[in-house]
Coordinates of all heavy atoms in Angstrom, one line a residue:
M1 N 14.0 -4.4 15.0 CA 13.0 -5.4 14.9 C 13.6 -6.8 14.6 O 14.4 -6.9 13.7 CB 12.0 -5.1 13.9 CG 10.9 -6.1 13.8 SD 9.7 -5.8 12.4 CE 9.2 -4.2 12.6
E2 N 13.3 -7.8 15.4 CA 13.8 -9.1 15.1 C 12.8 -9.9 14.3 O 11.6 -9.6 14.3 CB 14.0 -9.8 16.5 CG 15.2 -9.2 17.3 CD 15.4 -9.9 18.5 OE1 15.2 -11.1 18.6 OE2 15.9 -9.3 19.5
G3 N 13.2 -11.0 13.7 CA 12.3 -11.9 13.0 C 12.3 -11.5 11.5 O 12.8 -10.5 11.1
T4 N 11.5 -12.3 10.8 CA 11.4 -12.0 9.3 C 10.0 -11.7 8.9 O 9.8 -11.4 7.7 CB 11.8 -13.3 8.6 OG1 11.0 -14.4 9.0 CG2 13.3 -13.7 8.8
H5 N 9.0 -11.7 9.8 CA 7.7 -11.4 9.4 C 7.1 -10.3 10.3 O 7.5 -10.1 11.5 CB 6.8 -12.6 9.6 CG 7.1 -13.7 8.7 ND1 8.1 -14.6 9.0 CD2 6.6 -14.1 7.5 CE1 8.2 -15.5 8.0 NE2 7.4 -15.2 7.1
C6 N 6.2 -9.5 9.8 CA 5.5 -8.4 10.5 C 4.0 -8.6 10.3 O 3.6 -8.7 9.2 CB 6.0 -7.1 10.0 SG 5.2 -5.7 10.8
F7 N 3.3 -8.6 11.4 CA 1.8 -8.7 11.3 C 1.2 -7.5 12.0 O 1.2 -7.4 13.2 CB 1.4 -10.0 12.0 CG -0.1 -10.1 12.1 CD1 -0.8 -10.4 10.9 CD2 -0.8 -10.0 13.2 CE1 -2.2 -10.6 10.9 CE2 -2.2 -10.1 13.3 CZ -2.9 -10.4 12.1
P8 N 0.8 -6.5 11.2 CA 0.2 -5.3 11.7 C -1.3 -5.6 12.1 O -2.1 -5.9 11.3 CB 0.3 -4.3 10.6 CG 0.3 -5.1 9.4 CD 1.0 -6.4 9.7
S9 N -1.5 -5.6 13.4 CA -2.9 -5.8 13.8 C -3.3 -4.5 14.6 O -2.5 -3.7 14.9 CB -3.0 -7.0 14.7 OG -2.3 -6.8 15.9
R10 N -4.6 -4.4 14.9 CA -5.1 -3.3 15.6 C -5.8 -3.7 16.9 O -6.5 -4.7 16.9 CB -6.0 -2.4 14.8 CG -7.3 -3.1 14.4 CD -8.1 -2.2 13.5 NE -9.2 -2.9 13.0 CZ -10.4 -3.1 13.6 NH1 -10.6 -2.5 14.7 NH2 -11.4 -3.8 13.0
P11 N -5.6 -3.0 18.0 CA -6.3 -3.3 19.2 C -7.8 -3.1 19.0 O -8.3 -2.3 18.2 CB -5.8 -2.3 20.2 CG -4.8 -1.5 19.6 CD -4.8 -1.8 18.1
R12 N -8.6 -3.8 19.8 CA -10.1 -3.6 19.8 C -10.4 -2.2 20.0 O -9.8 -1.5 20.8 CB -10.6 -4.4 21.0 CG -11.5 -5.6 20.5 CD -12.0 -6.3 21.8 NE -13.3 -5.8 22.2 CZ -14.4 -6.3 21.9 NH1 -14.4 -7.5 21.3 NH2 -15.5 -5.8 22.3
R13 N -11.4 -1.7 19.4 CA -11.9 -0.3 19.5 C -11.0 0.7 19.0 O -11.2 1.9 19.2 CB -12.3 0.0 20.9 CG -13.2 -1.0 21.6 CD -14.6 -1.2 21.1 NE -15.3 0.1 21.0 CZ -16.3 0.4 20.2 NH1 -16.7 -0.5 19.3 NH2 -16.8 1.5 20.2
F14 N -9.9 0.3 18.3 CA -8.9 1.3 17.8 C -9.5 1.9 16.5 O -9.3 3.1 16.2 CB -7.6 0.6 17.5 CG -6.5 1.6 17.2 CD1 -6.0 2.5 18.1 CD2 -5.9 1.6 15.9 CE1 -4.9 3.3 17.8 CE2 -4.9 2.5 15.6 CZ -4.4 3.3 16.5
G15 N -10.2 1.1 15.7 CA -10.8 1.7 14.5 C -9.9 1.4 13.3 O -8.7 1.7 13.3
K16 N -10.6 1.0 12.2 CA -9.8 0.7 10.9 C -9.3 2.0 10.4 O -8.1 2.1 9.9 CB -10.7 0.0 9.9 CG -11.1 -1.4 10.3 CD -12.0 -2.1 9.3 CE -13.4 -1.9 9.4 NZ -14.2 -2.1 10.6
S17 N -10.0 3.1 10.4 CA -9.5 4.4 9.8 C -8.3 4.9 10.6 O -7.4 5.4 10.0 CB -10.7 5.4 9.8 OG -11.7 5.0 9.0
R18 N -8.4 4.8 11.9 CA -7.3 5.3 12.7 C -6.0 4.4 12.4 O -4.9 4.9 12.3 CB -7.6 5.2 14.2 CG -6.5 5.8 15.0 CD -7.0 6.0 16.4 NE -8.2 6.7 16.4 CZ -8.7 7.5 17.4 NH1 -7.9 7.6 18.4 NH2 -9.8 8.2 17.3
L19 N -6.2 3.1 12.2 CA -5.1 2.2 11.9 C -4.5 2.6 10.6 O -3.3 2.8 10.4 CB -5.5 0.8 11.9 CG -4.4 -0.2 11.4 CD1 -3.3 -0.3 12.4 CD2 -5.0 -1.6 11.1
L20 N -5.3 2.9 9.6 CA -4.8 3.3 8.3 C -4.1 4.6 8.3 O -3.1 4.9 7.7 CB -5.9 3.3 7.2 CG -6.5 1.9 6.9 CD1 -7.7 2.0 6.0 CD2 -5.5 1.0 6.4
D21 N -4.7 5.6 9.1 CA -4.0 6.9 9.2 C -2.6 6.7 9.9 O -1.7 7.4 9.5 CB -4.9 7.8 10.1 CG -6.1 8.3 9.4 OD1 -6.2 8.2 8.1 OD2 -7.0 8.8 10.0
T22 N -2.6 5.8 10.9 CA -1.3 5.6 11.5 C -0.3 5.0 10.6 O 0.9 5.4 10.5 CB -1.5 4.6 12.7 OG1 -2.4 5.2 13.6 CG2 -0.2 4.3 13.5
L23 N -0.7 4.0 9.8 CA 0.2 3.4 8.8 C 0.6 4.4 7.7 O 1.8 4.5 7.4 CB -0.5 2.2 8.1 CG -0.7 1.0 8.9 CD1 -1.5 -0.1 8.2 CD2 0.6 0.4 9.4
K24 N -0.3 5.3 7.3 CA 0.1 6.4 6.4 C 1.2 7.3 7.0 O 2.1 7.6 6.3 CB -1.2 7.2 6.0 CG -0.9 8.3 5.0 CD -2.2 9.1 4.7 CE -1.8 10.3 3.8 NZ -2.9 11.2 3.7
A25 N 1.0 7.6 8.2 CA 2.0 8.5 8.9 C 3.3 7.8 8.9 O 4.4 8.5 8.9 CB 1.5 8.9 10.3
L26 N 3.4 6.5 9.1 CA 4.6 5.8 9.1 C 5.4 5.9 7.8 O 6.6 5.8 7.8 CB 4.4 4.3 9.5 CG 4.0 4.1 11.0 CD1 3.6 2.6 11.2 CD2 5.0 4.5 12.0
F27 N 4.7 6.0 6.7 CA 5.3 6.1 5.4 C 5.8 7.5 5.0 O 6.5 7.6 4.0 CB 4.4 5.5 4.3 CG 4.4 4.0 4.3 CD1 3.4 3.3 4.9 CD2 5.4 3.3 3.6 CE1 3.4 1.9 4.8 CE2 5.4 1.9 3.5 CZ 4.4 1.2 4.2
E28 N 5.3 8.5 5.7 CA 5.6 9.9 5.3 C 7.1 10.1 5.3 O 7.8 9.8 6.3 CB 4.9 10.9 6.2 CG 3.4 11.0 5.9 CD 2.7 11.9 6.8 OE1 3.3 12.6 7.6 OE2 1.4 12.0 6.8
G29 N 7.6 10.7 4.2 CA 9.0 11.0 4.1 C 9.9 9.8 3.7 O 11.1 10.0 3.4
L30 N 9.3 8.6 3.5 CA 10.1 7.5 3.1 C 10.1 7.3 1.6 O 9.2 7.9 0.9 CB 9.5 6.2 3.7 CG 9.6 6.1 5.3 CD1 9.0 4.8 5.8 CD2 11.0 6.3 5.8
H31 N 11.0 6.6 1.1 CA 11.1 6.3 -0.4 C 9.8 5.8 -0.9 O 9.4 6.2 -2.0 CB 12.2 5.3 -0.6 CG 12.4 4.9 -2.0 ND1 13.1 5.7 -2.9 CD2 11.9 3.9 -2.8 CE1 13.1 5.1 -4.1 NE2 12.4 4.0 -4.0
A32 N 9.1 4.9 -0.2 CA 7.9 4.3 -0.7 C 6.8 5.4 -0.9 O 6.0 5.2 -1.8 CB 7.4 3.3 0.3
E33 N 6.8 6.4 -0.1 CA 5.7 7.4 -0.3 C 5.7 8.1 -1.6 O 4.7 8.2 -2.3 CB 5.9 8.5 0.8 CG 4.8 9.6 0.7 CD 5.0 10.7 1.7 OE1 6.1 10.9 2.2 OE2 4.0 11.4 2.0
A34 N 6.9 8.4 -2.1 CA 7.0 9.1 -3.4 C 7.1 8.1 -4.6 O 6.8 8.5 -5.7 CB 8.3 9.9 -3.4
H35 N 7.5 6.8 -4.4 CA 7.7 5.9 -5.5 C 6.7 4.8 -5.7 O 6.8 4.1 -6.6 CB 9.2 5.4 -5.4 CG 10.2 6.4 -5.5 ND1 10.7 7.1 -4.4 CD2 10.8 6.9 -6.6 CE1 11.6 8.0 -4.9 NE2 11.7 7.9 -6.2
R36 N 5.8 4.6 -4.8 CA 4.9 3.6 -4.9 C 3.7 4.1 -5.7 O 3.3 5.2 -5.6 CB 4.3 3.1 -3.5 CG 3.4 1.9 -3.7 CD 2.8 1.6 -2.3 NE 1.9 0.4 -2.4 CZ 0.8 0.3 -3.0 NH1 0.3 1.3 -3.8 NH2 0.1 -0.8 -2.9
A37 N 3.1 3.2 -6.5 CA 1.9 3.6 -7.3 C 0.7 3.4 -6.4 O 0.1 2.3 -6.3 CB 1.8 2.6 -8.5
W38 N 0.4 4.4 -5.7 CA -0.7 4.4 -4.7 C -2.1 4.1 -5.3 O -3.0 3.7 -4.6 CB -0.7 5.6 -3.8 CG 0.5 5.7 -3.0 CD1 1.6 6.5 -3.2 CD2 0.8 4.9 -1.8 NE1 2.6 6.3 -2.2 CE2 2.1 5.3 -1.4 CE3 0.2 4.0 -1.1 CZ2 2.7 4.8 -0.2 CZ3 0.8 3.4 0.1 CH2 2.0 3.8 0.5
S39 N -2.2 4.4 -6.6 CA -3.5 4.2 -7.2 C -3.8 2.7 -7.5 O -4.9 2.3 -7.8 CB -3.6 5.0 -8.5 OG -2.6 4.6 -9.4
V40 N -2.7 1.9 -7.5 CA -2.8 0.5 -7.8 C -3.1 -0.2 -6.5 O -2.3 -0.1 -5.5 CB -1.5 -0.1 -8.4 CG1 -1.7 -1.6 -8.6 CG2 -1.2 0.6 -9.7
K41 N -4.2 -0.9 -6.4 CA -4.6 -1.6 -5.1 C -4.0 -3.0 -5.2 O -4.3 -3.8 -6.0 CB -6.1 -1.7 -5.0 CG -6.8 -0.4 -4.7 CD -8.2 -0.6 -4.5 CE -8.5 -1.2 -3.2 NZ -9.9 -1.2 -2.8
P42 N -3.1 -3.3 -4.2 CA -2.6 -4.7 -4.1 C -3.6 -5.6 -3.6 O -4.6 -5.2 -2.9 CB -1.4 -4.5 -3.1 CG -1.8 -3.4 -2.2 CD -2.6 -2.5 -3.1
P43 N -3.5 -6.9 -3.9 CA -4.4 -7.9 -3.3 C -4.3 -7.9 -1.8 O -3.2 -7.8 -1.2 CB -4.0 -9.2 -3.9 CG -2.6 -9.0 -4.4 CD -2.5 -7.5 -4.7
V44 N -5.4 -8.1 -1.1 CA -5.5 -8.1 0.3 C -6.0 -9.5 0.7 O -7.0 -10.0 0.3 CB -6.4 -7.0 0.9 CG1 -6.6 -7.2 2.4 CG2 -5.9 -5.7 0.5
L45 N -5.2 -10.1 1.6 CA -5.6 -11.4 2.2 C -6.5 -11.2 3.4 O -6.1 -10.6 4.3 CB -4.4 -12.3 2.6 CG -3.4 -12.7 1.5 CD1 -2.2 -13.3 2.1 CD2 -4.1 -13.6 0.5
R46 N -7.7 -11.7 3.3 CA -8.6 -11.6 4.4 C -8.8 -13.0 4.9 O -9.6 -13.8 4.3 CB -10.0 -11.0 4.0 CG -9.8 -9.6 3.6 CD -11.2 -9.0 3.2 NE -11.0 -7.6 2.7 CZ -11.1 -6.5 3.4 NH1 -11.3 -6.6 4.7 NH2 -10.9 -5.4 2.8
L47 N -8.2 -13.3 6.0 CA -8.2 -14.6 6.6 C -9.3 -14.6 7.8 O -9.3 -13.8 8.6 CB -6.9 -15.1 7.2 CG -5.8 -15.1 6.1 CD1 -4.4 -15.3 6.8 CD2 -6.0 -16.2 5.1
S48 N -10.1 -15.6 7.8 CA -11.2 -15.7 8.8 C -10.8 -16.8 9.8 O -10.4 -17.9 9.4 CB -12.5 -16.1 8.1 OG -13.5 -16.4 9.1
F49 N -10.9 -16.4 11.1 CA -10.7 -17.4 12.1 C -12.0 -17.6 12.9 O -12.0 -18.2 14.0 CB -9.6 -16.9 13.1 CG -8.2 -16.7 12.4 CD1 -7.8 -15.5 12.0 CD2 -7.5 -17.8 12.1 CE1 -6.6 -15.4 11.3 CE2 -6.2 -17.7 11.5 CZ -5.8 -16.5 11.1
G50 N -13.1 -17.2 12.4 CA -14.3 -17.2 13.1 C -15.2 -18.4 12.8 O -16.2 -18.7 13.4
A51 N -14.9 -19.2 11.8 CA -15.7 -20.4 11.4 C -15.3 -21.6 12.2 O -14.5 -22.4 11.7 CB -15.6 -20.6 9.9
G52 N -15.8 -21.8 13.4 CA -15.5 -23.0 14.1 C -14.3 -22.9 15.1 O -13.6 -21.9 15.0
V53 N -14.1 -23.9 15.9 CA -13.0 -23.9 16.8 C -11.9 -24.7 16.3 O -12.1 -25.9 15.8 CB -13.5 -24.5 18.2 CG1 -12.4 -24.6 19.2 CG2 -14.6 -23.6 18.7
R54 N -10.7 -24.2 16.3 CA -9.5 -25.0 15.9 C -8.8 -25.5 17.2 O -8.3 -24.7 17.9 CB -8.5 -24.1 15.1 CG -9.2 -23.3 14.0 CD -9.6 -24.2 12.9 NE -10.2 -23.4 11.8 CZ -11.4 -23.4 11.5 NH1 -12.3 -24.1 12.1 NH2 -11.9 -22.7 10.5
K55 N -8.9 -26.8 17.4 CA -8.3 -27.3 18.7 C -6.9 -27.7 18.6 O -6.2 -27.8 19.6 CB -9.1 -28.5 19.1 CG -10.6 -28.2 19.5 CD -11.3 -29.3 20.1 CE -12.7 -28.9 20.5 NZ -13.4 -29.9 21.1
T56 N -6.4 -27.9 17.3 CA -5.0 -28.3 17.2 C -4.3 -27.4 16.1 O -5.0 -26.8 15.3 CB -4.9 -29.8 16.7 OG1 -5.4 -29.9 15.4 CG2 -5.6 -30.7 17.7
A57 N -3.0 -27.5 16.1 CA -2.2 -26.7 15.1 C -2.5 -27.3 13.7 O -2.6 -26.5 12.8 CB -0.7 -26.8 15.4
A58 N -2.8 -28.6 13.6 CA -3.1 -29.2 12.3 C -4.4 -28.6 11.8 O -4.6 -28.4 10.6 CB -3.2 -30.7 12.5
D59 N -5.4 -28.5 12.7 CA -6.7 -27.9 12.3 C -6.5 -26.5 11.8 O -7.1 -26.1 10.8 CB -7.7 -27.9 13.5 CG -8.2 -29.2 13.9 OD1 -8.0 -30.2 13.1 OD2 -8.7 -29.3 15.0
L60 N -5.7 -25.7 12.5 CA -5.5 -24.3 12.1 C -4.7 -24.3 10.7 O -5.1 -23.5 9.8 CB -4.6 -23.6 13.1 CG -4.2 -22.1 12.8 CD1 -5.4 -21.3 12.6 CD2 -3.3 -21.6 13.8
G61 N -3.7 -25.2 10.6 CA -3.0 -25.2 9.3 C -3.9 -25.6 8.2 O -3.8 -25.0 7.1
A62 N -4.8 -26.6 8.4 CA -5.7 -27.0 7.3 C -6.7 -25.8 7.0 O -6.9 -25.6 5.8 CB -6.5 -28.2 7.8
S63 N -7.2 -25.1 7.9 CA -8.0 -24.0 7.7 C -7.3 -22.9 6.9 O -7.8 -22.3 5.9 CB -8.6 -23.4 9.0 OG -9.3 -22.2 8.7
L64 N -6.1 -22.5 7.3 CA -5.3 -21.5 6.6 C -5.0 -22.0 5.2 O -5.1 -21.2 4.2 CB -4.0 -21.2 7.3 CG -4.2 -20.4 8.6 CD1 -2.9 -20.3 9.4 CD2 -4.8 -19.0 8.3
H65 N -4.6 -23.3 5.0 CA -4.3 -23.8 3.7 C -5.5 -23.7 2.8 O -5.4 -23.3 1.6 CB -3.9 -25.3 3.8 CG -3.7 -25.9 2.5 ND1 -2.7 -25.6 1.6 CD2 -4.4 -26.9 1.8 CE1 -2.8 -26.3 0.5 NE2 -3.9 -27.1 0.6
K66 N -6.7 -24.0 3.3 CA -7.9 -23.9 2.5 C -8.2 -22.5 2.0 O -8.5 -22.2 0.9 CB -9.1 -24.5 3.3 CG -10.4 -24.5 2.5 CD -11.5 -25.1 3.4 CE -12.8 -25.1 2.7 NZ -13.9 -25.6 3.5
Q67 N -8.0 -21.5 3.0 CA -8.3 -20.1 2.6 C -7.3 -19.6 1.6 O -7.6 -18.9 0.7 CB -8.3 -19.3 3.9 CG -9.5 -19.6 4.8 CD -9.4 -18.8 6.1 OE1 -9.6 -17.5 6.0 NE2 -9.2 -19.4 7.2
L68 N -6.0 -20.0 1.8 CA -4.9 -19.5 0.9 C -5.1 -20.1 -0.5 O -4.9 -19.5 -1.5 CB -3.6 -19.8 1.5 CG -3.2 -19.0 2.7 CD1 -1.9 -19.5 3.4 CD2 -3.1 -17.5 2.4
S69 N -5.5 -21.4 -0.5 CA -5.7 -22.1 -1.8 C -6.8 -21.4 -2.6 O -6.7 -21.2 -3.8 CB -6.0 -23.5 -1.6 OG -4.9 -24.2 -1.1
A70 N -7.9 -21.0 -1.9 CA -9.0 -20.3 -2.5 C -8.6 -18.9 -3.0 O -8.9 -18.5 -4.2 CB -10.2 -20.1 -1.5
F71 N -7.7 -18.2 -2.3 CA -7.2 -16.9 -2.7 C -6.3 -17.1 -4.0 O -6.4 -16.4 -4.9 CB -6.4 -16.3 -1.6 CG -5.8 -14.9 -2.0 CD1 -6.6 -13.8 -2.0 CD2 -4.5 -14.8 -2.3 CE1 -6.1 -12.6 -2.4 CE2 -4.0 -13.6 -2.7 CZ -4.8 -12.5 -2.7
E72 N -5.5 -18.1 -4.0 CA -4.6 -18.4 -5.1 C -5.4 -18.7 -6.4 O -5.1 -18.2 -7.4 CB -3.7 -19.6 -4.8 CG -2.6 -19.3 -3.8 CD -1.9 -20.5 -3.2 OE1 -2.5 -21.6 -3.3 OE2 -0.9 -20.3 -2.6
A73 N -6.5 -19.5 -6.2 CA -7.4 -19.8 -7.3 C -8.0 -18.5 -7.9 O -8.1 -18.3 -9.1 CB -8.5 -20.8 -6.9
L74 N -8.5 -17.6 -7.0 CA -9.1 -16.4 -7.4 C -8.1 -15.5 -8.2 O -8.5 -14.8 -9.1 CB -9.6 -15.6 -6.2 CG -10.9 -16.0 -5.6 CD1 -11.2 -15.2 -4.3 CD2 -12.1 -15.8 -6.6
Q75 N -6.8 -15.6 -7.8 CA -5.8 -14.8 -8.5 C -5.3 -15.5 -9.8 O -4.4 -15.0 -10.4 CB -4.6 -14.5 -7.6 CG -5.0 -13.6 -6.4 CD -5.5 -12.3 -6.8 OE1 -4.9 -11.6 -7.6 NE2 -6.6 -11.8 -6.3
G76 N -5.8 -16.7 -10.0 CA -5.3 -17.5 -11.2 C -3.9 -18.1 -11.0 O -3.2 -18.3 -12.0
L77 N -3.5 -18.3 -9.8 CA -2.2 -18.8 -9.5 C -2.3 -20.4 -9.6 O -3.3 -20.9 -9.2 CB -1.7 -18.4 -8.2 CG -1.5 -16.9 -8.0 CD1 -1.2 -16.5 -6.6 CD2 -0.4 -16.4 -9.0
P78 N -1.2 -21.0 -10.0 CA -1.3 -22.5 -10.1 C -1.3 -23.1 -8.6 O -0.7 -22.5 -7.7 CB 0.0 -22.9 -10.8 CG 0.9 -21.7 -10.6 CD 0.0 -20.5 -10.5
A79 N -1.9 -24.2 -8.5 CA -2.0 -24.9 -7.2 C -0.7 -25.7 -7.0 O -0.6 -26.8 -7.5 CB -3.2 -25.8 -7.1
E80 N 0.3 -25.1 -6.4 CA 1.6 -25.7 -6.3 C 1.8 -26.4 -4.9 O 2.7 -27.2 -4.7 CB 2.7 -24.7 -6.5 CG 2.7 -24.2 -7.9 CD 3.8 -23.1 -8.1 OE1 4.5 -22.8 -7.2 OE2 4.0 -22.7 -9.3
V81 N 0.9 -26.1 -3.9 CA 1.1 -26.6 -2.6 C -0.1 -27.6 -2.4 O -1.3 -27.1 -2.3 CB 1.1 -25.5 -1.5 CG1 1.3 -26.1 -0.2 CG2 2.2 -24.5 -1.9
P82 N 0.2 -28.9 -2.2 CA -0.9 -29.9 -2.1 C -1.7 -29.9 -0.8 O -2.9 -30.2 -0.8 CB -0.2 -31.2 -2.3 CG 1.2 -31.0 -1.9 CD 1.5 -29.5 -2.2
D83 N -1.1 -29.5 0.3 CA -1.7 -29.6 1.6 C -1.1 -28.7 2.6 O 0.0 -28.1 2.3 CB -1.8 -31.0 2.1 CG -0.4 -31.7 2.2 OD1 0.6 -31.0 2.4 OD2 -0.3 -32.9 2.1
A84 N -1.7 -28.6 3.8 CA -1.1 -27.7 4.9 C 0.2 -28.2 5.3 O 1.1 -27.3 5.6 CB -2.1 -27.7 6.0
R85 N 0.5 -29.5 5.3 CA 1.8 -30.0 5.8 C 2.9 -29.5 4.9 O 4.0 -29.1 5.3 CB 1.8 -31.5 5.8 CG 2.9 -32.2 6.4 CD 2.6 -33.7 6.5 NE 3.3 -34.4 7.5 CZ 3.1 -34.3 8.8 NH1 2.2 -33.5 9.2 NH2 3.8 -34.9 9.7
A86 N 2.7 -29.4 3.6 CA 3.7 -28.9 2.6 C 3.7 -27.4 2.7 O 4.8 -26.8 2.5 CB 3.3 -29.3 1.2
R87 N 2.6 -26.7 2.9 CA 2.6 -25.2 3.0 C 3.3 -24.7 4.2 O 3.9 -23.7 4.2 CB 1.2 -24.7 2.9 CG 1.1 -23.2 2.8 CD -0.4 -22.7 2.7 NE -1.1 -23.1 1.6 CZ -1.1 -22.5 0.4 NH1 -0.4 -21.4 0.2 NH2 -1.9 -22.9 -0.6
F88 N 3.1 -25.4 5.4 CA 3.7 -24.9 6.6 C 4.6 -26.0 7.2 O 4.4 -26.5 8.3 CB 2.6 -24.6 7.6 CG 1.5 -23.7 7.1 CD1 0.2 -24.1 6.8 CD2 1.8 -22.3 6.9 CE1 -0.7 -23.2 6.3 CE2 0.9 -21.4 6.5 CZ -0.4 -21.9 6.2
P89 N 5.7 -26.3 6.6 CA 6.6 -27.4 7.1 C 7.2 -27.1 8.4 O 7.4 -28.0 9.2 CB 7.6 -27.5 6.0 CG 7.7 -26.2 5.3 CD 6.3 -25.7 5.4
A90 N 7.5 -25.8 8.7 CA 8.2 -25.5 10.0 C 7.2 -25.6 11.2 O 7.6 -25.6 12.3 CB 8.8 -24.1 9.9
C91 N 5.9 -25.6 10.9 CA 4.9 -25.7 12.0 C 4.5 -27.1 12.4 O 3.7 -27.2 13.2 CB 3.7 -24.8 11.6 SG 4.1 -23.1 11.3
Q92 N 5.0 -28.1 11.7 CA 4.6 -29.4 12.0 C 5.3 -29.9 13.2 O 6.5 -29.7 13.5 CB 5.0 -30.4 10.8 CG 4.3 -29.9 9.5 CD 2.8 -29.8 9.6 OE1 2.2 -30.7 10.2 NE2 2.3 -28.8 9.0
S93 N 4.6 -30.6 14.1 CA 5.2 -31.2 15.3 C 5.9 -32.5 14.9 O 5.6 -33.1 14.0 CB 4.1 -31.5 16.3 OG 3.2 -32.4 15.8
S94 N 7.0 -32.7 15.7 CA 7.8 -33.9 15.4 C 7.3 -35.1 16.2 O 6.5 -35.1 17.0 CB 9.2 -33.7 15.7 OG 9.5 -32.7 16.6

């Protein structure tokens, strides 16, 4: 696999349960299966792309920044990133 990020998504009509069963099968026999505390639920980021049309990369960045800032506040994390430009520096056009 190339790159540094992985975004597991599911095709339409695939089903959330089927996706979770597939992910569970991928962990079977791996170190994580036996050593992860499966009873502890990690925080889940639920990002919404349905509220309005994003016509530019800056609009998308601003929307993501707002959602991530709200999630950080809910988790009691300090607000260390002032705006989308600082949060996503590699995505800014020159």
Side-chain angles (χ1 to χ4, degrees):
M1 179 186 307
E2 293 183 28
T4 58
H5 296 83
C6 178
F7 177 70
S9 64
R10 64 180 171 89
R12 247 180 91 100
R13 310 294 306 156
F14 189 69
K16 291 182 274 304
S17 295
R18 186 170 305 209
L19 173 67
L20 293 176
D21 288 344
T22 301
L23 289 174
K24 180 182 175 189
L26 291 174
F27 280 98
E28 285 180 6
L30 297 180
H31 177 83
E33 181 184 22
H35 294 90
R36 185 188 183 294
W38 294 103
S39 61
V40 177
K41 289 182 76 174
V44 174
L45 295 174
R46 295 183 187 267
L47 300 172
S48 172
F49 298 100
V53 176
R54 310 291 182 248
K55 293 186 178 185
T56 67
D59 290 344
L60 177 61
S63 174
L64 289 172
H65 172 68
K66 182 177 178 182
Q67 293 180 66
L68 291 171
S69 294
F71 180 77
E72 290 165 344
L74 281 173
Q75 296 299 313
L77 299 171
E80 295 178 355
V81 184
D83 56 26
R85 189 173 206 70
R87 189 181 292 275
F88 306 110
C91 298
Q92 303 302 317
S93 59
S94 24

